[in-house]
Amino acid sequence: MTGVGGDHHGAERIDRVRTAIRREGLDGIICQLPSNVLMLSGYWPVVGTAFAVATADGQVAVLAPEDERDLADAGWAAAVETYSPLSMNDLAGPAEHVRKPLSDLLERLRLTGGTVGFEDTTLFEEATYAASFVYGQMLLPTLQAAASGRLVPMAAVMTSLRSRLTRYEVSKVGDACKVAGIAFRNASRAICPGLREPEVADAFQSRMVVDGLASEDVRRAGSFTFCMSGPNAALAGGAYARTRNRKLEREDLVLVHCNSYLDGYWTDITRTYYLGRPDERTRSVYDAILEARSAALEVIAPGARASEVDRAARDVLDKHGLGRYFTHGIGHNVGFSAISPDFPPRLSPVSPDVLTEGMTFNVEPAAYIEGWGGVRHCDVVTVRPNGPEVLTPFEASIEDLVLGP
């Protein structure tokens, strides 16, 4: 076992995980989902075959594929072991190849025969590569063979741990937001009539990668970026965004939605641009959306109810006659994930969640009007002791969003 970590950046997270393990009466926890491996160890796996283990005495260890060693070393795990998930000499898969090295790792951590928590819930998991390995039904028998002890489902523990980011994790999300801000400001200058939606989306997406990798501290940067223009912008209220091949025209709304990442820390950002001079109706919709944004931000503070944040924005849109066009909650958890209805805070009219310091989420007031278009303004926000900090403060007025004469 090779000592590689102990990085102070993970100290706060290690302490929270250790506290949770002891509170639940566990000897340790083991995670395989890349977002959870990142939370435990600071390492974001690529193809989904890695494990992270944390113990009640504060040890953190990683079992990673051999070709991901450099990424695993960049985290704060005090120990990193590697193995070969596949072999040219047999047809066995990762679930078979991982059992012996995982068993050896758990033995060295003195978890063999102990009580270990494991992942037992479904969730939206962000893409880490073109394809990722999923243990599926093989996860439990793999863990049973390796740990030979008592395995305890830990959905509630993971929900609690992931709902609030550490100071370091907030800073990493902030870095991703800063890169996105540079990309948005640069790419938006190229938007003009005659471009097609894929060309606009590509201009934003490529900037996220180029600007993200400009930092020597960043190992992986990317983005899922979509452009929805004119009447297509009204479709942005669906469960997913989709770029079509429409050609931009003057007096178009151009909604650009982005989920970008740096080393596994995600953003959720939308800006809606206008090509030309907005008429009275268009300006009134923008004014209402930005007023709803301000109203939501005024409510955000430790102790505030997530439903109150939603209500503040929704009341503004109702006042302007746009409430029926706002078809989703005002926000959701962001950081380890980009699209997360699984972890607090869930900012909707029926949410029971209460905001606490470190909760990080998006605020996305919107109006989607069929046949006309849609306007959404989506920021990433974190809760500080005295209120919200907007991590995406760029292009926050109608003057910033109107392009061209």
Side-chain angles (χ1 to χ4, degrees), residues 16 35 44 51 61 99 143 216 218 253 263 270 274 276 295 313 323-324 344 367 371 373 377 389:
R16 290 187 190 181
S35 57
W44 191 41
F51 285 87
R99 289 186 180 186
L143 295 179
E216 293 183 359
V218 174
L253 292 162
D263 291 333
T270 305
Y274 189 77
R324 67 185 184 277
H377 195 93
E389 178 186 354

Side-chain angles (χ1 to χ4, degrees), residues 118-138:
F118 74 100
E119 298 158 325
D120 68 319
T121 184
T122 60
L123 76 160
F124 286 87
E125 180 71 11
E126 276 56 41
T128 61
Y129 195 60
S132 295
F133 182 77
V134 178
Y135 282 86
Q137 293 182 341
M138 290 299 297

Side-chain angles (χ1 to χ4, degrees), residues 361-382:
F361 48 89
N362 65 343
V363 172
E364 51 177 345
Y368 311 107
I369 304 172
E370 185 177 355
W372 179 76
V375 177
R376 180 168 73 218
H377 195 93
C378 180
D379 287 305
V380 179
V381 175
T382 192

Side-chain angles (χ1 to χ4, degrees), residues 128 165 168 204 225 314 322 342 352 404:
T128 61
L165 301 186
Y168 171 72
F204 281 76
T225 306
R314 205 167 294 277
L322 297 173
D342 306 288

Side-chain angles (χ1 to χ4, degrees), residues 104-122:
D104 291 344
L105 177 62
L106 294 177
E107 184 176 358
R108 281 191 283 273
L109 292 171
R110 299 182 180 179
L111 293 178
T112 303
T115 303
V116 179
F118 74 100
E119 298 158 325
D120 68 319
T121 184
T122 60

